Amino acid sequence: MQIYKVGGAVRDRLLGKPVTDIDWVVVGASTEEMLAQGYRPVGADFPVFLHPKSGEEYALARTERKSGSGYGGFTFHASPEVTLEEDLIRRDLTINAMAEDDQQNLTDPYHGQRDLEDRILRHVSPAFAEDPLRVLRVARFAARYAELGFTVAPETLELMRQLSESGELQALTAERSWKEISRALMEDQPQVFIEVLRQCGALKVLMPEVDALFGVPQPEIHHPEIDSGIHTLSVLEQSALHKQPLTVRWACLLHDLGKGLTPKEEWPRHIAHEHTGLKLIKAVNERFKAPKDCQELALLVGQYHTHGHRALELKASTLLELLQSFDVYRRPQRFEEFIIACEMDARGRKGLEQRSYPQADYLRGAANEARGVAVQPLLEKGLKGPELGEALKRERLKALKAYKEAYTS
């Protein structure tokens, strides 16, 4: 029995990056031997065991054969005869197909170290094209290592293109797709993930609503970058630069989908794109079964982001309606994330990345004013039910009018 550290742990050590997760492969052992040494079995599909002391996962070296469609369409074979090289060749990228023993002696049959040095993301074997999830994984790695200058090898991009055209991407489950998408959006350069998906044709399969934005012009006076797709990538980039949470990044990606529906004869204007885009945002949310908080914020940002930009011009009554829509009294964090998404939208424009956004503080102040209206005096007047609600609304409107007047005077 020989045990090797494999995959990401080896890759990141060689890159000088922190190693978080460690994968272990056991060569030359049987299930019975693992059990005899106290390893606990997990995983129904192939032999994986938990170390009796550390609890880390150890997998028997295995080969795999395509037996169906999608991510799960594989038959695995694990036995003591499977070599380390046979196990490594089934992996996605050369930089993930390296192993090292407990003395840090490197096994690198597919030249992963060379590709690390050349900053290339390259598939290990033609079997890469058997797993559609790898399209998303490679795009995610491209986003993760873009800052180091990594690019996808042309021949790998071509395989990704073939996968995108094969119909295999549709076999991916919403859960598996969302796991990759959400992880990619939390990388330092998530816009690269979208760019790579677009380059290989996967974006128009997975998110045709986002793909449709490219080539759609916007008024240059507001959008020096002009192209709606490029603007979306820039907004997403800003959200990552400012270390925003997944909810904000997802909303930034989807906020302008309505512009893809604007008839060409109306370009570059996009009247009411906030409302026309809602059905598209809802469709993307449901397609990937995004978490509820991501879904809600994306829809609210899509509908109200232009309200955010025009905050200083809004009538007090419109401002109150906006605050009510977000339920700022019980869910203040959601409104804060809306404000941030609006600011990322304003900054995601060519040459305007450093612009100030006074609307943010104005909206925060308005929310505080509305929340500050006391309920107790109204209760003491004997108001309850709908009467109480209307009275509270009137008091909040009065507070917002005073706030607006003081702010603009």
Side-chain angles (χ1 to χ4, degrees):
M1 180 192 297
Q2 292 174 292
I3 297 175
Y4 297 90
K5 188 182 294 182
V6 295
V10 180
R11 175 197 70 224
D12 287 343
R13 184 186 71 78
L14 293 172
L15 282 173
K17 285 185 161 289
V19 174
T20 49
D21 297 321
I22 299 178
D23 293 322
W24 303 94
V25 161
V26 183
V27 177
S30 65
T31 297
E32 292 72 25
E33 287 176 278
M34 298 294 285
L35 295 174
Q37 293 196 27
Y39 287 83
R40 304 189 306 278
V42 293
D45 295 331
F46 45 82
V48 177
F49 303 84
L50 298 181
H51 191 279
K53 292 183 180 177
S54 71
E56 291 182 311
E57 288 190 358
Y58 286 67
L60 293 185
R62 64 186 188 271
T63 59
E64 60 186 33
R65 180 174 54 83
K66 185 75 169 170
S67 58
S69 62
Y71 169 76
F74 292 91
T75 301
F76 297 97
H77 170 68
S79 78
E81 287 75 41
V82 176
T83 66
L84 180 60
E85 289 74 12
E86 287 174 324
D87 181 273
L88 293 175
I89 200 171
R90 66 180 177 77
R91 297 173 185 268
D92 51 6
L93 298 171
T94 60
I95 64 169
N96 296 330
M98 297 179 285
E100 60 183 26
D101 60 18
D102 56 4
Q103 302 298 312
Q104 288 193 342
N105 295 312
L106 190 68
T107 300
D108 181 20
Y110 309 110
H111 311 296
Q113 189 170 25
R114 183 183 67 193
D115 283 344
L116 274 185
E117 292 167 357
D118 293 341
R119 301 305 197 237
I120 295 290
L121 300 173
R122 191 192 317 275
H123 64 283
V124 178
S125 77
F128 173 94
E130 294 177 351
D131 184 356
L133 191 68
R134 288 176 171 177
V135 172
L136 290 166
R137 277 177 55 82
V138 173
R140 174 166 63 82
F141 281 120
R144 175 180 297 179
Y145 296 122
E147 64 175 354
L148 297 178
F150 274 81
T151 57
V152 182
E155 62 271 27
T156 302
L157 201 62
E158 178 56 33
L159 280 183
M160 293 165 68
R161 188 175 293 111
Q162 292 173 20
L163 261 174
S164 300
E165 294 171 354
S166 70
E168 277 275 304
L169 290 177
Q170 284 92 327
L172 291 174
T173 65
E175 292 77 12
R176 292 298 310 182
S177 296
W178 176 254
K179 183 176 180 181
E180 290 297 326
I181 291 167
S182 59
R183 290 178 70 185
L185 290 181
M186 292 309 295
E187 299 290 358
D188 287 340
Q189 295 197 37
Q191 76 282 2
V192 174
F193 172 71
I194 302 298
E195 288 172 347
V196 171
L197 291 183
R198 183 165 177 259
Q199 286 170 18
C200 70
L203 189 62
K204 67 183 176 185
V205 177
L206 296 167
M207 298 185 200
E209 302 87 351
V210 176
D211 189 68
L213 295 174
F214 291 89
V216 175
Q218 306 164 103
E220 189 174 0
I221 188 171
H222 300 302
H223 289 275
E225 72 287 346
I226 299 177
D227 188 284
S228 298
I230 292 173
H231 167 63
T232 295
L233 294 182
S234 299
V235 176
L236 186 56
E237 181 179 13
Q238 287 296 314
S239 72
L241 283 171
H242 290 84
K243 308 295 184 187
Q244 299 305 333
L246 177 61
T247 46
V248 172
R249 299 188 191 203
W250 183 240
C252 285
L253 177 63
L254 305 186
H255 79 285
D256 263 352
L257 292 188
K259 290 180 178 177
L261 295 177
T262 304
K264 287 186 179 181
E265 57 268 22
E266 295 180 17
W267 290 355
R269 301 178 70 201
H270 297 279
I271 298 169
H273 74 276
E274 308 90 342
H275 298 287
T276 56
L278 292 179
K279 62 183 179 182
L280 301 184
I281 295 172
K282 187 175 181 181
V284 178
N285 277 335
E286 291 176 352
R287 184 178 311 136
F288 298 110
K289 296 183 180 177
K292 188 178 179 183
D293 56 348
C294 289
Q295 293 200 28
E296 290 178 350
L297 187 67
L299 285 164
L300 287 165
V301 171
Q303 184 170 359
Y304 294 113
H305 63 277
T306 50
H307 276 52
H309 301 328
R310 294 175 48 246
L312 300 173
E313 307 161 28
L314 297 180
K315 294 187 296 184
S317 57
T318 307
L319 195 53
L320 179 60
E321 288 173 10
L322 178 67
L323 297 174
Q324 304 273 77
S325 298
F326 280 84
D327 191 8
V328 295
Y329 318 108
R330 292 182 299 177
R331 301 186 63 179
Q333 183 58 31
R334 186 167 66 175
F335 190 62
E336 175 61 25
E337 290 183 352
F338 163 74
I339 293 171
I340 291 168
C342 289
E343 184 170 357
M344 299 303 99
D345 182 25
R347 291 173 180 265
R349 306 173 194 223
K350 188 178 179 182
L352 301 175
E353 294 84 0
Q354 304 303 320
R355 75 191 307 185
S356 61
Y357 195 70
Q359 296 94 322
D361 285 340
Y362 179 76
L363 287 168
R364 290 185 183 108
N368 287 335
E369 289 295 325
R371 279 195 292 264
V373 172
V375 182
Q376 192 58 36
L378 301 177
L379 292 171
E380 289 171 358
K381 289 182 180 179
L383 297 175
K384 55 186 177 181
E387 276 190 328
L388 175 63
E390 286 301 313
L392 193 55
K393 192 173 179 180
R394 286 194 299 271
E395 291 301 312
R396 285 168 174 163
L397 182 58
K398 192 187 301 182
L400 287 174
K401 284 179 177 176
Y403 171 72
K404 181 176 176 62
E405 190 175 330
Y407 197 94
T408 54
S409 62

